[in-house]
Amino acid sequence: MKILVINSGSSSVKYQLFQMPEETVIARGLLEKIGEENSLFCQKSIKGEIELKNQIRNHEEGINFIISMLTDSRHGVISSVNEIEGIGHRVVHGGEEFNGSVRITGDVVRKIEAYSDLAPLHNPPNLMGIKATQKYIPGAIQAACFDTAFHQSIPQKAYLYAIPYSLYEQYHIRRYGFHGTSHRYVAMRCASIVREGIHALNMITCHLGNGCSIAAIEKGRSVDTSMGFTPLEGLIMGTRSGDIDPAVMFYLENKGYTCSGLNDLLNKKSGLVGISGVSNDMRNLFQEKENGNPRAALAIDMFCYRLRKYIGSYLAVLKQTDAIIFTGGIGENNAYIRRESLDGLEALGIVFDDARNQNIQRGRDSCISADSSRIKVFVIPTNEELGIAIDTYEIAQRSKQKE
Ligand code: AMP
């Protein structure tokens, strides 16, 4: 069965076409700068790589263009859209309604629309992608896979903020958590590596990319995570501050900052770029540190310290942990950060093996703890698209059996 995975952002659409259940990627591509004069398109497949510039005015035109390239006589990989039997959409916010991936119906679309209030930058473009594929690939079964869904199992004591309860009732203010597809995917991979059912394992998953979050997973279910009402809370990220005393905002407001200025400050100008003053990209920071830039070194130190603090708190939350997993661009590639966040914790059951840590094979699942370590530590490359494809395949199979 061919499954198309769509990640529709504000001005871009990323996609991958999978053959399932084999999990092979038939084609992958990216359309960027939608709405600008020179939208950029690239696609990779067995037919080779193609890059084009074209004016794409909106998401509907974008999806139509992607379909034309997937079915193109020279560069395409399918002869007709009818070959696509399922489409899985990444949707950022599913509020309290969705604790797993679902087949998209009119009711699901209305609920995603309603949650746009909580994710105004993400849910509306996600919906544009859904509506465009419904129009151009009407025969396919469509599924929505939510970034928030995996964290819906978090108990109330962990998801509520200690502010008046009425604000939760009136405005749904609570911790939702994000990156759920990634945390769940690497947790499932870990279960298959250690040959246990996911429901038998307690894990701490660290998704460290440009956005960073960490999750405590008890018997396969998320019981706490660092991102909150929005992705701003928790770990230090490329441009986001993570945890901060909210009173700093009141103080800055008195100094003349506006609400939107503060939003910009915390989401776009803080984190690694805010501290270092040079870059949000970890690779650049290591280069700068080597060149003797003390603020780049400080940003790296702060990043590791915050991560170590969260890992420690989740070890306490889980009481007994079987595995810690690193993933995301930084988690998968940066041996220094993995070591700095975990070494010296032998008393807590973690025996880090730095030789293994330094010598992992890129893109492969690897164990970086010593054989004697009670808690195993793994590096597992994330694959959110495959996670979405697996869910969509299951939903499409079930729907077909019912029909
Ligand atoms: P992501 O959002 O998952 O693509 O991750 C982006 C982050 O991963 C950036 O901070 C990159 O600097 C970092 N990253 C990617 N590759 C490497 C690498 N080889 N070494 C260190 N950091 C890396």
Side-chain angles (χ1 to χ4, degrees), residues 14 179 207-212 237-238 272 279-286 303 327-335 337 362 382 384:
K14 258 196 248 169
H179 288 150
H207 178 108
L208 310 175
N210 197 29
C212 300
M237 310 178 213
L272 297 175
S279 178
N280 64 318
D281 191 300
M282 199 52 102
R283 278 167 295 201
N284 297 344
L285 292 187
F286 273 80
F303 182 94
T327 195
I330 298 172
E332 290 166 32
N333 294 302
N334 196 305
I337 282 171
R362 219 173 168 176
T382 195
E384 289 164 282

Side-chain angles (χ1 to χ4, degrees), residues 237-241 265-275:
M237 310 178 213
T239 62
R240 298 188 192 118
S241 64
L265 180 85
L266 290 187
N267 274 299
K268 299 194 177 140
K269 298 183 180 146
S270 296
L272 297 175
V273 73
I275 295 296

